[in-house]
Amino acid sequence: MKGLAMGYLVLGLVLFLGVHSVRIVADGWRTQTLARMGEMPWKGLYSLVSAVGLALIVWGYGLARQQPVVLWLPPIGMRHAAALLTLIAFVLLAATYVPRNAIKARLHHPMVLGVKVWALAHLLSNGNLADVLLFGSFLLWAVLSFRAARQRDRAQGTVYAVGSAAGTAAAVVVGAVAWLGFAFWGHAWLIGVAPLGR
């Protein structure tokens, strides 16, 4: 069962992160393929592979949690560090969508940075093999994706809109409220674990 669960998890990670890594490792091929296939067929195939990969990740990780392989036991204090880091990750995620905020103006790719912070938080607070595979893979992907995105920005001379105080405050508030809802209710409902001890 353990081997099967890990197999599902690894296959899901390969599919999901693989399709999200095309711009990192083969941006030219992606552009050519997109032009040849058309935008809608490309997005359809991209979405299908992503959905299958995500389903396998969820399935494999869920099975692996039933018979965990413990690599280490993180100190209790890491839970507090993880809570703070996930708050930052939620604010970064909100900054991706809230218009004209200084966070996006400064960092340019807050969603990828949010994934990086989220993955690091979960690596610090979880010591099972499945956790290391899942969050370690996402952390590595986020590091490579952010670097590739910044390289594209420099090559294309991309200019980001200047942020405003109102936009920045809105991003922080939206992110914090979303974090509170997920930390106190959503995480236990979706994952079955109450990170703040409820």
XYZ file of all heavy atoms in Angstrom, residues 112-177:
479
model
N 3.904 32.811 -7.415
C 4.982 31.819 -7.355
C 5.729 31.932 -6.031
O 6.084 30.924 -5.414
C 5.942 31.992 -8.547
C 7.089 30.991 -8.461
C 5.197 31.811 -9.864
N 5.945 33.160 -5.574
C 6.578 33.346 -4.269
C 5.681 32.803 -3.152
O 6.184 32.252 -2.166
C 6.877 34.823 -4.041
C 8.034 35.399 -4.845
C 8.134 36.902 -4.622
C 9.346 34.720 -4.478
N 4.375 32.961 -3.298
C 3.445 32.412 -2.318
C 3.530 30.894 -2.240
O 3.500 30.311 -1.145
N 3.650 30.248 -3.395
C 3.822 28.789 -3.423
C 5.121 28.398 -2.718
O 5.175 27.435 -1.950
C 3.807 28.263 -4.872
C 4.184 26.782 -4.915
C 2.444 28.478 -5.507
N 6.169 29.179 -2.969
C 7.468 28.899 -2.342
C 7.369 28.990 -0.816
O 7.847 28.096 -0.100
C 8.507 29.893 -2.864
C 9.923 29.621 -2.400
C 10.871 30.751 -2.756
C 11.001 30.954 -4.231
N 12.059 31.963 -4.560
N 6.739 30.040 -0.328
C 6.610 30.227 1.120
C 5.704 29.162 1.730
O 5.984 28.621 2.803
C 6.086 31.642 1.427
C 5.809 31.816 2.912
C 7.081 32.696 0.955
N 4.603 28.847 1.035
C 3.677 27.797 1.494
C 4.388 26.447 1.603
O 4.243 25.727 2.603
C 2.501 27.718 0.525
C 1.660 26.498 0.645
C 0.645 26.270 1.511
C 1.754 25.306 -0.180
N 0.093 25.023 1.297
C 0.756 24.422 0.271
C 2.570 24.932 -1.247
C 0.567 23.169 -0.316
C 2.385 23.681 -1.824
C 1.388 22.819 -1.354
N 5.166 26.102 0.581
C 5.867 24.818 0.587
C 6.911 24.771 1.699
O 7.039 23.764 2.407
C 6.517 24.582 -0.777
N 7.648 25.872 1.878
C 8.654 25.922 2.936
C 7.998 25.763 4.307
O 8.503 25.035 5.170
C 9.416 27.242 2.864
C 10.439 27.483 3.976
C 11.521 26.408 3.970
C 11.060 28.872 3.831
N 6.868 26.435 4.514
C 6.158 26.334 5.790
C 5.797 24.896 6.112
O 5.964 24.427 7.243
C 4.895 27.197 5.751
N 5.313 24.171 5.116
C 4.892 22.791 5.353
C 6.076 21.834 5.486
O 5.974 20.821 6.175
C 3.947 22.341 4.238
C 2.581 22.945 4.359
N 2.308 24.235 3.988
C 1.411 22.435 4.843
C 1.034 24.498 4.223
N 0.470 23.424 4.743
N 7.193 22.151 4.856
C 8.391 21.342 5.058
C 8.922 21.494 6.482
O 9.400 20.536 7.082
C 9.480 21.746 4.057
C 9.425 21.105 2.678
C 10.517 21.694 1.782
C 9.569 19.591 2.748
N 8.839 22.709 7.014
C 9.329 22.957 8.369
C 8.491 22.248 9.432
O 9.012 21.858 10.474
C 9.330 24.459 8.658
C 10.350 25.305 7.900
C 10.141 26.786 8.218
C 11.778 24.890 8.240
N 7.210 22.084 9.150
C 6.305 21.576 10.190
C 5.865 20.135 9.980
O 5.058 19.615 10.750
C 5.058 22.472 10.268
O 4.407 22.537 9.018
N 6.371 19.467 8.945
C 6.003 18.077 8.676
C 7.259 17.271 8.362
O 8.117 17.728 7.599
C 5.036 17.982 7.489
C 3.711 18.656 7.776
O 2.856 18.089 8.436
N 3.547 19.880 7.290
N 7.338 16.058 8.931
C 8.535 15.264 8.738
C 8.311 13.899 8.125
O 9.167 13.019 8.230
N 7.168 13.693 7.476
C 6.902 12.409 6.841
C 7.428 12.396 5.402
O 7.555 13.446 4.768
C 5.400 12.107 6.829
C 4.848 11.932 8.229
O 5.581 11.598 9.159
N 3.552 12.162 8.382
N 7.682 11.212 4.887
C 8.223 11.073 3.534
C 7.301 11.696 2.492
O 7.766 12.387 1.583
C 8.450 9.590 3.224
C 8.954 9.260 1.817
C 10.291 9.946 1.539
C 9.070 7.738 1.636
N 6.002 11.467 2.621
C 5.062 12.022 1.651
C 5.088 13.547 1.671
O 4.980 14.199 0.627
C 3.644 11.518 1.933
N 5.241 14.124 2.864
C 5.320 15.581 2.986
C 6.570 16.116 2.300
O 6.528 17.146 1.619
C 5.332 15.993 4.460
C 4.061 15.597 5.178
O 2.974 15.898 4.672
O 4.162 14.974 6.250
N 7.683 15.438 2.500
C 8.939 15.875 1.885
C 8.830 15.814 0.366
O 9.259 16.736 -0.354
C 10.114 15.020 2.391
C 11.387 15.333 1.619
C 10.332 15.251 3.875
N 8.241 14.739 -0.152
C 8.064 14.622 -1.597
C 7.145 15.714 -2.135
O 7.466 16.389 -3.122
C 7.486 13.249 -1.945
C 8.445 12.062 -1.921
C 7.668 10.761 -2.134
C 9.508 12.214 -2.997
N 6.009 15.900 -1.482
C 5.020 16.855 -1.959
C 5.530 18.291 -1.865
O 5.619 19.009 -2.872
C 3.730 16.701 -1.158
C 2.616 17.709 -1.476
C 2.166 17.590 -2.920
C 1.439 17.503 -0.523
N 5.868 18.719 -0.660
C 6.220 20.120 -0.462
C 7.626 20.445 -0.971
O 7.871 21.555 -1.433
C 6.061 20.483 1.014
C 4.670 20.252 1.512
C 4.409 19.291 2.485
C 3.594 20.949 0.985
C 3.116 19.065 2.939
C 2.300 20.726 1.430
C 2.058 19.779 2.407
N 8.517 19.459 -0.902
C 9.845 19.675 -1.471
C 9.788 19.863 -2.972
O 10.492 20.716 -3.541
N 8.923 19.092 -3.651
C 8.775 19.229 -5.100
C 8.204 20.594 -5.467
O 8.670 21.249 -6.403
C 7.862 18.122 -5.644
O 8.430 16.850 -5.448
N 7.190 21.036 -4.720
C 6.602 22.344 -5.001
C 7.589 23.472 -4.707
O 7.621 24.484 -5.423
C 5.313 22.532 -4.198
C 4.087 22.050 -4.914
C 3.644 20.740 -4.761
C 3.384 22.886 -5.762
C 2.523 20.287 -5.429
C 2.259 22.451 -6.438
C 1.822 21.139 -6.274
N 8.402 23.313 -3.659
C 9.392 24.334 -3.346
C 10.424 24.440 -4.463
O 10.759 25.553 -4.916
C 10.075 24.013 -2.016
C 11.175 24.983 -1.568
C 10.638 26.401 -1.427
C 11.794 24.510 -0.254
N 10.930 23.319 -4.922
C 11.900 23.320 -6.017
C 11.295 23.933 -7.270
O 11.924 24.765 -7.946
C 12.389 21.899 -6.295
C 13.358 21.742 -7.475
C 14.630 22.555 -7.234
C 13.680 20.264 -7.696
N 10.057 23.538 -7.602
C 9.391 24.109 -8.779
C 9.251 25.619 -8.650
O 9.504 26.359 -9.611
C 8.005 23.480 -8.958
C 7.225 24.164 -10.027
C 7.286 23.932 -11.369
C 6.291 25.235 -9.852
N 6.450 24.800 -12.033
C 5.827 25.602 -11.132
C 5.803 25.910 -8.726
C 4.898 26.632 -11.321
C 4.879 26.933 -8.909
C 4.432 27.280 -10.191
N 8.855 26.104 -7.482
C 8.643 27.534 -7.294
C 9.943 28.313 -7.445
O 9.953 29.412 -8.023
C 8.016 27.797 -5.924
N 11.035 27.773 -6.928
C 12.335 28.438 -7.071
C 12.701 28.564 -8.542
O 13.088 29.648 -9.021
C 13.427 27.663 -6.304
C 14.818 28.182 -6.659
C 13.199 27.765 -4.793
N 12.564 27.475 -9.286
C 12.919 27.487 -10.705
C 11.951 28.346 -11.517
O 12.360 29.061 -12.441
C 12.944 26.056 -11.250
C 13.983 25.119 -10.634
C 13.827 23.714 -11.187
C 15.399 25.644 -10.878
N 10.672 28.284 -11.179
C 9.671 29.060 -11.907
C 9.881 30.551 -11.710
O 9.764 31.343 -12.659
C 8.270 28.655 -11.437
O 7.279 29.387 -12.131
N 10.182 30.972 -10.489
C 10.401 32.396 -10.212
C 11.623 32.897 -10.970
O 11.592 33.981 -11.569
C 10.569 32.618 -8.713
C 10.691 34.062 -8.342
C 9.581 34.893 -8.343
C 11.919 34.598 -7.992
C 9.690 36.231 -8.003
C 12.043 35.938 -7.645
C 10.922 36.756 -7.653
N 12.678 32.119 -10.963
C 13.884 32.533 -11.685
C 13.609 32.662 -13.182
O 14.019 33.645 -13.815
C 15.016 31.524 -11.449
C 16.341 31.940 -12.067
C 17.429 30.935 -11.802
N 17.190 29.681 -12.515
C 18.034 28.659 -12.526
N 19.158 28.731 -11.812
N 17.765 27.566 -13.193
N 12.892 31.693 -13.746
C 12.581 31.749 -15.173
C 11.681 32.933 -15.506
O 11.858 33.592 -16.536
C 11.913 30.441 -15.608
N 10.717 33.218 -14.637
C 9.807 34.343 -14.876
C 10.553 35.668 -14.837
O 10.296 36.564 -15.661
C 8.683 34.330 -13.842
N 11.479 35.828 -13.894
C 12.258 37.063 -13.834
C 13.159 37.205 -15.055
O 13.373 38.319 -15.564
C 13.085 37.097 -12.542
C 12.277 37.196 -11.267
C 11.379 38.419 -11.232
N 12.128 39.662 -11.197
C 12.435 40.326 -10.093
N 12.063 39.850 -8.915
N 13.114 41.443 -10.150
N 13.688 36.094 -15.547
C 14.507 36.139 -16.758
C 13.679 36.571 -17.961
O 14.133 37.364 -18.791
C 15.143 34.771 -17.010
C 16.250 34.415 -16.030
C 16.766 33.000 -16.201
O 16.121 32.152 -16.840
N 17.915 32.712 -15.611
N 12.434 36.067 -18.056
C 11.553 36.493 -19.153
C 11.223 37.978 -19.036
O 11.186 38.686 -20.041
C 10.257 35.668 -19.142
C 10.408 34.250 -19.637
C 9.056 33.614 -19.926
N 8.178 33.629 -18.781
C 8.134 32.655 -17.866
N 8.928 31.607 -17.972
N 7.301 32.724 -16.838
N 10.981 38.441 -17.830
C 10.694 39.866 -17.629
C 11.840 40.729 -18.135
O 11.621 41.741 -18.817
C 10.458 40.149 -16.142
C 9.104 39.664 -15.659
O 8.253 39.314 -16.508
O 8.889 39.642 -14.436
N 13.072 40.349 -17.778
C 14.228 41.139 -18.215
C 14.382 41.087 -19.727
O 14.664 42.103 -20.365
C 15.497 40.630 -17.524
C 15.566 40.977 -16.044
C 16.961 40.730 -15.480
N 17.285 39.309 -15.453
C 17.036 38.510 -14.428
N 16.442 38.993 -13.342
N 17.374 37.238 -14.466
N 14.174 39.908 -20.311
C 14.335 39.770 -21.758
C 13.276 40.556 -22.526
O 13.542 41.100 -23.603
C 14.277 38.289 -22.146
N 12.073 40.617 -21.983
C 10.964 41.280 -22.667
C 10.780 42.733 -22.227
O 9.944 43.442 -22.769
C 9.664 40.500 -22.421
C 9.692 39.083 -22.962
C 8.530 38.233 -22.476
O 7.628 38.725 -21.800
N 8.555 36.947 -22.815
N 11.559 43.163 -21.245
C 11.426 44.528 -20.751
C 10.076 44.793 -20.102
O 9.515 45.889 -20.232
N 9.544 43.813 -19.390
C 8.225 43.942 -18.775
C 8.228 45.008 -17.681
O 9.131 45.050 -16.852
C 7.790 42.597 -18.159
O 7.827 41.586 -19.180
C 6.383 42.686 -17.593
N 7.219 45.864 -17.711
C 7.063 46.916 -16.711
C 5.760 46.672 -15.957
O 4.711 46.480 -16.575
C 7.040 48.320 -17.352
C 6.807 49.389 -16.296
C 8.343 48.582 -18.107
N 5.823 46.678 -14.642
C 4.647 46.428 -13.811
C 4.079 47.744 -13.287
O 4.820 48.691 -13.019
C 4.994 45.495 -12.651
C 5.250 44.078 -13.107
C 6.503 43.703 -13.575
C 4.240 43.125 -13.099
C 6.742 42.404 -14.018
C 4.463 41.828 -13.533
C 5.717 41.477 -13.991
O 5.944 40.204 -14.428
N 2.747 47.785 -13.168
C 2.074 48.998 -12.702
C 2.525 49.351 -11.291
O 2.760 48.478 -10.461
C 0.562 48.785 -12.733
N 2.652 50.634 -11.051
C 3.039 51.119 -9.721
C 1.908 50.831 -8.736
O 0.725 51.012 -9.052
C 3.331 52.628 -9.767
C 3.642 53.158 -8.373
C 4.479 52.908 -10.732
N 2.265 50.370 -7.559
C 1.256 50.051 -6.557
C 0.792 51.281 -5.797
O 1.494 52.290 -5.727
N -0.392 51.188 -5.240
C -0.943 52.264 -4.421
C -1.098 51.762 -2.986
O -1.142 50.555 -2.734
C -2.303 52.702 -4.963
O -3.251 51.660 -4.818
N -1.210 52.708 -2.057
C -1.403 52.331 -0.659
C -2.716 51.588 -0.468
O -2.785 50.602 0.281
C -1.367 53.584 0.218
N -3.766 52.039 -1.163
C -5.070 51.383 -1.035
C -5.024 49.962 -1.575
O -5.561 49.030 -0.966
C -6.137 52.195 -1.771
N -4.379 49.778 -2.723
C -4.270 48.436 -3.297
C -3.463 47.507 -2.422
O -3.803 46.335 -2.254
N -2.388 48.025 -1.854
C -1.543 47.215 -0.971
C -2.290 46.812 0.289
O -2.248 45.648 0.713
C -0.270 47.996 -0.598
O 0.394 48.412 -1.794
C 0.666 47.125 0.225
N -2.992 47.778 0.894
C -3.773 47.477 2.098
C -4.851 46.449 1.803
O -5.094 45.539 2.607
C -4.401 48.766 2.639
N -5.495 46.579 0.640
C -6.536 45.618 0.263
C -5.956 44.218 0.102
O -6.566 43.226 0.535
C -7.211 46.062 -1.028
N -4.780 44.107 -0.506
C -4.144 42.795 -0.676
C -3.834 42.162 0.676
O -4.052 40.959 0.879
C -2.870 42.934 -1.507
N -3.327 42.962 1.601
C -2.992 42.448 2.929
C -4.252 41.999 3.670
O -4.289 40.910 4.270
C -2.233 43.511 3.749
C -2.061 43.052 5.194
C -0.872 43.798 3.122
N -5.311 42.810 3.610
C -6.544 42.476 4.317
C -7.191 41.232 3.722
O -7.611 40.310 4.449
C -7.527 43.665 4.293
C -8.903 43.241 4.803
C -6.986 44.818 5.127
N -7.286 41.180 2.407
C -7.895 40.016 1.748
C -7.101 38.751 2.071
O -7.675 37.701 2.401
C -7.974 40.233 0.225
C -8.345 38.942 -0.490
C -8.994 41.320 -0.103
N -5.777 38.845 1.996
C -4.941 37.688 2.302
C -5.082 37.239 3.739
O -5.172 36.036 4.024
N -5.109 38.186 4.668
C -5.217 37.849 6.088
C -6.566 37.219 6.413
O -6.643 36.238 7.169
C -4.996 39.102 6.937
N -7.635 37.769 5.842
C -8.973 37.209 6.094
C -9.071 35.796 5.520
O -9.608 34.880 6.167
C -10.060 38.127 5.504
C -11.419 37.437 5.526
C -10.117 39.444 6.268
